[in-house]
Amino acid sequence: MTKKTTRAKLTMGPLFFNWDEDKRRDFYARIADEAAIDCVYVGEVVCGKREKLMKDLFPQIVERLQRGGKDVVVSTLAMVTSERQRESIERRVQEGFTVEANDVACLHVVQNKPHVIGPFINVFNESARDFVIRGGAKRIVMPIELPGTAIATLAKTKKAETEVFVFGRQPLSVAMRCYHARAHGLRKDSCQIVCSQDPDGLATDTLDGKPLLTVSGSQTLSHDYGVLLNELDALKKMGVSHFRLSPQNVDMIDVAKIYRDALDGKLDPKEALAKLKKVTGTIPFANGFFHSKEGMAFVT
Amino acid sequence: MSVSYLELVCPAGTPAALRAAVEAGADTVYCGFRNGTNARNYPGLNFDQDELIEGVAYAHDHGCKVLVAINTFPRAGNEAPWHEAVDNAAEAKADAVILADLGVLDYATKRHPSLRRHLSVQASASNALSIKFFQEHFDVKRVVLPRVLSVEEIAALVKETKIETEVFAFGSVGPMSEGRCFLSSYITGMSPTTEGMCSPAQFVSYKEEGGCTKSCLGCVTLNTFKKGEPAAYPTPCKGRYLVNGKALYLFEEPVGLNAIDILADLKAAGVTALKIEGRQRSRAYVAEVVGTFRKALDKLAKGEGALKENDLKDMAEGGRETFGAYRKGWR
């Protein structure tokens, strides 16, 4: 995993929504065959129940992606709450997968083995970065909230690669409580998997009817798409090697093509933004965190 | 002071509040420095180094311990204030520091191995595995548990990790995994993680509209209240939202946490300490809440049973109380 001279890598982050089996299978098959993606993160981040439901599909997806020449990393839950979940992470490590740790709980299992630090573990500064590198981290995905100035400082290390979230609804919080169940008047224990009704998440608007957030199970995301296209050149210059797209309910093959072309200099940012708008429709873009502003801002 | 029942850990937002807490019967007080190194970085609060030295001396003279919260996440390129805060806490002879960031924990462990380390709620350690990781790497002696666990889960955690636990007894209900919530910074640009501020007051406004009061954070409406309804402070996790056409407190209602009626259960679960929140609240609040909990704990210690009633309702957020996650079914 040396980062010098290698071309910018495009990655597909883990799926935050509860798509049904067919939709997932089709999605990953298309990513395997058609997408300009180098590395795909699979595995459930939000809910242990979903992980259980998709247990049989998981090896099929992995096999398909590997056959398509993709690197596969297994993302863990952002909140590991049971022994069974811990065993599942251990099993993946034993099977030889690289794991993306999303909860400090997981660091136990991957300690001194090569792994990726996901965006749900707070690596906000050099000391924290160096600590996780000493524990075996080979790549660190920057927390969503970090401004560009911090990314520039953290990406300076030669000991690990740096990945930045550049497309998709931004994960803003994790919780134990399931808000999807709560919205339906249900409890988490007996949720009836209502989150599967919303492949795009559950719209959470202000009382004056303005879209603000999106809920997927216990996770809260932005309604707006986080979009760093104007910033790609700056990120590359900082030493960022991996650029993450987060699966949304739009044509992600098209999205990947736009980002690939933008990274390769075949599309200037303005053209790329215009093209992306055609794919994503009316959902606004946001890039405030990068520019040290409120996350929902969009700085042009 | 020997702690007979549960250690009562009380907020000291200012030197005056520290004395009020000590006088009202705190076993321990916690405070922070006057900068972004702690998660209550609000104007007019907190301690400078001289005040801390004096505060620790005063508390120790009265048999009370002092914990210093250095529980935000240092910014890349500017870690010095956090390291300095740890050095200063050690110099002031604080009894422990409350830390969240992996880098600050690493620094404190190496530089001040004998300074006791507690894990802040901001570290989001809600399971045995995470706690064990922090124990093994940083020899953390106590963990402040997130407000998302039931009493049964706390009991299981204590059994498995053998660590001291501190749980929230009075204050607010935090439905999100603390230290990993960026809702405030998504709307205002300022968050608990880096600036130590959630929903800062300078972004809050109330507007009268069509007979209703609208509460806003930045340019975002977080709630509306009819005439006579108390207008709660607008934080994103306690806002009211439109979901499937219905107005809902989707994350949490604007209620305050009060565990005074379940102290015996918490003790039986193996909890070591109770945390009273409110470094941003008045001296009168501190005196009233701490005094009431002191009374309740002393009664329990003597085997006299629980307090029959308490007058803390007016002190609670939104004037309403809940047991939060301590009772099953909250999720």
Side-chain angles (χ1 to χ4, degrees):
Chain A
M1 289 195 182
T2 50
K3 71 178 178 195
K4 257 194 197 162
T5 71
T6 50
R7 92 173 178 159
K9 296 263 171 54
L10 203 54
T11 73
M12 187 65 69
L15 175 67
F16 294 139
F17 306 104
N18 191 9
W19 294 354
D20 66 32
E21 216 173 304
D22 287 342
K23 191 171 166 69
R24 284 184 197 234
R25 191 181 288 113
D26 292 350
F27 172 72
Y28 286 108
R30 284 196 70 204
I31 296 297
D33 295 341
E34 303 169 46
I37 295 283
D38 301 288
C39 170
V40 182
Y41 293 78
V42 293
E44 178 59 41
V45 172
V46 179
C47 176
K49 275 194 199 173
R50 295 184 193 169
E51 188 177 39
K52 240 168 146 179
L53 284 173
M54 294 297 157
K55 204 174 78 217
D56 297 336
L57 187 62
F58 178 82
Q60 299 171 33
I61 287 175
V62 170
E63 191 271 333
R64 195 77 172 77
L65 288 167
Q66 286 174 335
R67 195 150 36 98
K70 312 296 181 196
D71 284 336
V72 172
V73 175
V74 180
S75 299
T76 75
L77 290 164
M79 286 186 110
V80 178
T81 50
S82 73
E83 200 51 35
R84 184 184 59 75
Q85 291 163 2
R86 171 221 173 100
E87 282 162 11
S88 149
I89 300 165
E90 272 172 355
R91 201 163 48 244
R92 297 301 172 216
V93 173
Q94 279 159 11
E95 287 165 356
F97 284 107
T98 302
V99 164
E100 176 186 68
N102 280 314
D103 186 348
V104 169
C106 179
L107 292 183
H108 242 310
V109 183
V110 297
Q111 206 55 203
N112 302 320
K113 299 183 185 84
H115 61 270
V116 179
I117 296 287
F120 301 98
I121 291 181
N122 284 351
V123 175
F124 276 70
N125 52 68
E126 304 92 305
S127 297
R129 177 198 66 193
D130 295 344
F131 174 80
V132 295
I133 289 174
R134 287 200 298 279
K138 296 294 170 207
R139 188 183 305 152
I140 303 169
V141 187
M142 298 286 100
I144 291 297
E145 197 190 42
L146 278 194
T149 47
I151 296 171
T153 303
L154 294 176
K156 272 191 190 123
T157 180
K158 300 233 173 348
K159 291 180 183 156
E161 298 167 332
T162 305
E163 178 162 338
V164 171
F165 189 103
V166 294
F167 174 79
R169 292 201 155 110
Q170 298 165 288
L172 298 175
S173 82
V174 291
M176 287 276 215
R177 198 175 217 183
C178 178
Y179 304 121
H180 234 116
R182 194 167 146 85
H184 288 264
L186 298 167
R187 286 176 177 182
K188 193 178 183 182
D189 301 349
S190 49
C191 69
Q192 299 169 27
I193 322 285
V194 283
C195 56
S196 64
Q197 296 169 12
D198 302 308
D200 226 359
L202 180 60
T204 302
D205 301 343
T206 66
L207 290 182
D208 31 28
K210 290 186 189 133
L212 180 69
L213 302 169
T214 301
V215 154
S216 176
S218 55
Q219 189 172 61
T220 308
L221 304 107
S222 62
H223 166 266
D224 297 358
Y225 286 153
V227 170
L228 298 182
L229 270 171
N230 275 324
E231 298 77 5
L232 289 182
D233 265 352
L235 286 166
K236 278 202 284 187
K237 283 190 190 119
M238 291 171 190
V240 173
S241 55
H242 288 66
F243 298 82
R244 172 173 294 200
L245 312 178
S246 183
Q248 306 295 318
N249 198 21
V250 296
D251 194 326
M252 290 303 295
I253 309 295
D254 286 350
V255 174
K257 173 101 175 57
I258 292 164
Y259 274 83
R260 185 71 263 168
D261 286 349
L263 283 169
D264 293 342
K266 290 184 193 155
L267 267 183
D268 73 39
K270 218 172 150 192
E271 289 171 316
L273 279 167
K275 276 196 147 181
L276 187 64
K277 202 89 226 174
K278 281 193 186 145
V279 181
T280 57
T282 55
I283 294 165
F285 297 160
N287 62 7
F289 285 135
F290 180 89
H291 296 282
S292 306
K293 292 194 174 339
E294 65 276 15
M296 64 195 292
F298 188 64
V299 179
T300 49
Chain B
M1 167 187 250
S2 65
V3 178
S4 52
Y5 199 80
L6 284 162
E7 180 182 334
L8 187 57
V9 182
C10 304
T14 59
L18 181 144
R19 286 190 294 275
V22 172
E23 281 160 22
D27 296 309
T28 302
V29 294
Y30 64 100
C31 54
F33 289 110
R34 199 169 291 138
N35 56 31
T37 61
N38 81 91
R40 291 289 182 279
N41 178 24
Y42 297 110
L45 284 193
N46 297 317
F47 288 64
D48 65 22
Q49 179 65 353
D50 289 341
E51 288 166 339
L52 182 66
I53 290 170
E54 269 175 47
V56 171
Y58 177 85
H60 284 176
D61 281 350
H62 292 77
C64 179
K65 290 186 200 138
V66 178
L67 315 178
V68 179
I70 305 166
N71 57 346
T72 50
F73 297 82
R75 276 173 220 119
N78 186 29
E79 297 181 70
W82 281 261
H83 295 174
E84 200 182 314
V86 175
D87 296 342
N88 286 344
E91 190 205 61
K93 301 198 165 41
D95 296 278
V97 281
I98 310 171
L99 311 177
D101 178 61
L102 291 169
V104 178
L105 279 158
D106 194 39
Y107 175 86
T109 308
K110 285 180 179 149
R111 196 61 67 92
H112 301 282
S114 60
L115 177 62
R116 192 178 156 94
R117 289 171 291 284
H118 292 185
L119 194 65
S120 167
V121 68
Q122 297 288 323
S124 198
S126 51
N127 52 59
L129 274 179
S130 297
I131 293 168
K132 282 182 189 165
F133 184 84
F134 286 108
Q135 277 177 307
E136 276 170 27
H137 289 267
F138 309 115
D139 192 21
V140 164
K141 300 289 192 207
R142 178 183 294 183
V143 55
V144 184
L145 291 177
R147 288 163 260 212
V148 295
L149 300 172
S150 66
V151 173
E152 291 82 358
E153 286 167 327
I154 292 169
L157 260 185
V158 172
K159 210 172 152 196
E160 195 177 342
T161 59
K162 313 265 184 293
I163 198 169
E164 288 181 12
T165 56
E166 183 174 312
V167 304
F168 285 91
F170 194 86
S172 63
V173 183
M176 305 303 188
S177 174
E178 285 168 77
R180 301 198 283 177
C181 177
F182 307 142
L183 289 172
S184 171
S185 54
Y186 184 67
I187 296 172
T188 70
M190 299 186 104
S191 79
T193 42
T194 42
E195 279 90 8
M197 286 189 251
C198 177
S199 314
Q202 66 264 38
F203 295 95
V204 170
S205 62
Y206 298 90
K207 290 171 199 149
E208 297 298 326
E209 232 179 69
C212 289
T213 305
K214 234 169 126 172
S215 64
C216 301
L217 185 65
C219 60
V220 173
T221 302
L222 287 184
N223 213 339
T224 58
F225 303 91
K226 290 192 193 106
K227 245 196 177 130
E229 221 184 327
Y233 190 89
T235 52
C237 63
K238 284 161 205 150
R240 196 153 28 176
Y241 299 96
L242 268 183
V243 182
N244 289 331
K246 279 186 286 189
L248 288 180
Y249 287 109
L250 182 62
F251 305 115
E252 184 56 277
E253 306 198 8
V255 291
L257 173 72
N258 185 359
I260 200 160
D261 292 335
I262 57 168
L263 299 180
D265 298 345
L266 292 169
K267 168 84 174 165
V271 164
T272 304
L274 296 176
K275 191 176 199 102
I276 309 287
E277 218 183 8
R279 279 191 282 151
Q280 70 278 36
R281 305 289 293 264
S282 69
R283 229 180 116 174
Y285 162 95
V286 170
E288 173 77 24
V289 178
V290 174
T292 305
F293 270 85
R294 180 77 275 155
K295 243 189 271 168
L297 290 173
D298 289 348
K299 268 177 81 81
L300 285 165
K302 286 186 214 144
E304 291 173 8
L307 270 193
K308 287 245 160 43
E309 48 191 49
N310 69 79
D311 297 325
L312 295 179
K313 209 168 168 191
D314 292 345
M315 298 284 174
E317 192 176 335
R320 291 161 60 204
E321 298 171 332
T322 171
F323 290 128
Y326 292 133
R327 288 283 184 250
K328 273 188 176 163
W330 176 81
R331 280 174 212 155

